[in-house]
Amino acid sequence: HHIDKFALCGYSMGGKFAMASLEVYPEKVNQMILIAPDGIKTIFWYSLATYPSYFRKYFRAMIVKPRYFYKLVKWAKKLKLVDKSMLKFANSQMNTREQRRRVYLTWVTFRLLSFDLQEIAEILNKNKIPVYMVTGKYDKIITAKNMQRLLKHINKYEKINLESGHTSLIKDTAAYLNNNRGILKFNNESIKH
């Protein structure tokens, strides 16, 4: 299609795809929009569910036998190991067998897709690619604070923190961008270091 330049955008797990695409096509990317991206800071529960083979088997068993999932949720609630909003999000993603299967396959398949954040930053800086980091004020899954692990190495970025939780971030980001047309054009006043 003779596309010379394009923007990358990734939400949650899609953040990994955006960063992988950046590594492959750095000279073609003209901007990067990351919406609560996974791949910058891995949450404990994701690591637990996907890395040790024992837990991976338990996680897989949840596809067919959701009672295992509900036992785990009940246990985590009782011990106050997980924020209520995270449990609500997990429940919404695990309602049906197909949803549970998709979560399992996604998490396990992409568990080894990881990035050297300094290398990602070097690519962004070298190619002068502006980054928009969108996070949600009420997002307990991927927090604005954890995004500093990447942002502290980047020269040109803008942080956008919306009154939002993780599940409503795509809708809220679309509304924000619609109300702030032209925001994706960097100017010196909007760039934060």
Side-chain angles (χ1 to χ4, degrees), residues 2-29:
H2 308 291
I3 298 170
D4 292 323
K5 290 279 185 181
F6 55 84
L8 288 172
C9 182
Y11 162 68
S12 198
M13 187 67 76
K16 286 190 171 191
F17 297 110
M19 288 189 281
S21 299
L22 174 73
E23 287 181 330
V24 177
Y25 304 107
E27 69 290 340
K28 291 188 175 289
V29 178

Side-chain angles (χ1 to χ4, degrees), residues 142-159:
I142 297 177
T143 65
K145 180 183 175 188
N146 288 337
M147 298 304 98
Q148 283 305 121
R149 293 168 59 108
L150 173 64
L151 294 178
K152 68 184 179 185
H153 302 293
I154 299 175
N155 296 335
K156 197 173 185 182
Y157 69 87
E158 184 167 342
K159 292 189 289 186

Side-chain angles (χ1 to χ4, degrees), residues 21-191:
S21 299
L22 174 73
E23 287 181 330
V24 177
Y25 304 107
E27 69 290 340
K28 291 188 175 289
V29 178
N30 60 14
Q31 63 184 325
M32 191 159 182
I33 305 159
L34 296 171
I35 306 168
D38 189 18
I40 294 174
K41 170 96 167 78
T42 302
I43 61 170
F44 168 76
W45 293 103
Y46 175 83
S47 295
L48 186 65
T50 58
Y51 287 100
S53 61
Y54 173 80
F55 286 110
R56 220 169 30 247
K57 287 175 188 170
Y58 184 80
F59 187 32
R60 184 165 192 218
M62 289 181 200
I63 296 170
V64 181
K65 299 172 184 167
R67 70 177 179 270
Y68 292 144
F69 171 70
Y70 294 113
K71 273 185 184 178
L72 183 65
V73 166
K74 188 177 178 182
W75 176 75
K77 243 186 209 178
K78 191 176 183 179
L79 296 176
K80 297 182 180 175
L81 294 174
V82 182
D83 187 89
K84 285 180 186 177
S85 64
M86 282 184 83
L87 291 173
K88 188 178 173 184
F89 174 74
N91 269 321
S92 74
Q93 299 297 305
M94 302 286 275
N95 279 338
T96 67
R97 183 176 176 154
E98 184 53 38
Q99 283 179 309
R100 291 189 298 275
R101 184 177 175 278
R102 185 172 46 239
V103 168
Y104 172 78
L105 290 174
T106 302
W107 279 24
V108 170
T109 303
F110 301 124
R111 77 187 187 282
L112 301 177
L113 187 58
S114 62
F115 305 91
D116 180 323
L117 297 180
Q118 286 192 335
E119 281 182 24
I120 293 289
E122 281 176 29
I123 292 168
L124 292 164
N125 293 336
K126 180 183 172 188
N127 293 282
K128 297 182 176 143
I129 300 167
V131 175
Y132 297 88
M133 182 66 73
V134 183
T135 52
K137 185 176 178 182
Y138 307 110
D139 188 346
K140 302 293 185 190
I141 297 163
I142 297 177
T143 65
K145 180 183 175 188
N146 288 337
M147 298 304 98
Q148 283 305 121
R149 293 168 59 108
L150 173 64
L151 294 178
K152 68 184 179 185
H153 302 293
I154 299 175
N155 296 335
K156 197 173 185 182
Y157 69 87
E158 184 167 342
K159 292 189 289 186
I160 301 166
N161 196 21
L162 302 176
E163 297 279 327
S164 183
H166 192 74
T167 54
S168 58
L169 259 172
I170 289 181
K171 176 180 63 77
D172 293 343
T173 300
Y176 176 84
L177 294 175
N178 193 44
N179 293 331
N180 296 281
R181 291 188 186 272
I183 194 149
L184 297 183
K185 294 175 185 165
F186 265 87
N187 58 49
N188 289 332
E189 292 78 41
S190 68
I191 298 169

